[in-house]
Amino acid sequence: KHVFKKGKATFALSFTILILSWLARFSILLIILWSMGIDFKPFQMYLQQWIVYITMMFIPTPGASGGAEASFYLIFDGEIPKKLLTLIVSIWRFFTYYFMLFTAIILVQLFSVGLNSTSKIDSI
């Protein structure tokens, strides 16, 4: 009720950012395929990635490690040339998961250094 009465603009903005986030995440594979000169159908690639992400929800390891790569490999086996599939899986997984983790680690370290240098508790 509260969102419907007072939060329509916030909800619309939040939902738009969510949609753009998923489109950006799904576009990573399209950029990889395009840069390697591989022919593809964009809508089909988006749909197949959606299936990969759905299967990742059922993999009980943190971040679906191992299972994400396996499901990607199985789903895209006929679409991407076999000799490039392993490389593309690795690049795709790096930019859709590990790159964000590494970026978060760096940002946490940068912000924690800034907080620690101005902390009054440390000077006591």
Side-chain angles (χ1 to χ4, degrees), residues 19-88:
I19 296 297
L20 291 174
S21 166
W22 278 103
L23 282 173
R25 186 174 295 154
F26 283 172
S27 296
I28 291 170
L29 177 62
L30 276 62
I31 292 168
I32 294 168
L33 295 175
W34 177 78
S35 69
M36 293 188 170
I38 298 171
D39 215 17
F40 61 92
K41 297 176 185 168
F43 182 74
Q44 183 176 343
M45 293 295 122
Y46 281 120
L47 185 61
Q48 286 176 290
Q49 283 184 87
W50 177 75
I51 295 168
V52 169
Y53 277 97
I54 293 296
T55 59
M56 286 169 56
M57 292 188 326
F58 298 104
I59 299 167
T61 59
S65 295
E69 293 83 354
S71 64
F72 184 97
Y73 194 90
L74 291 172
I75 290 172
F76 286 97
D77 189 21
E79 305 296 321
I80 298 172
K82 197 83 155 170
K83 63 182 180 179
L84 293 174
L85 189 54
T86 305
L87 176 64
I88 291 172

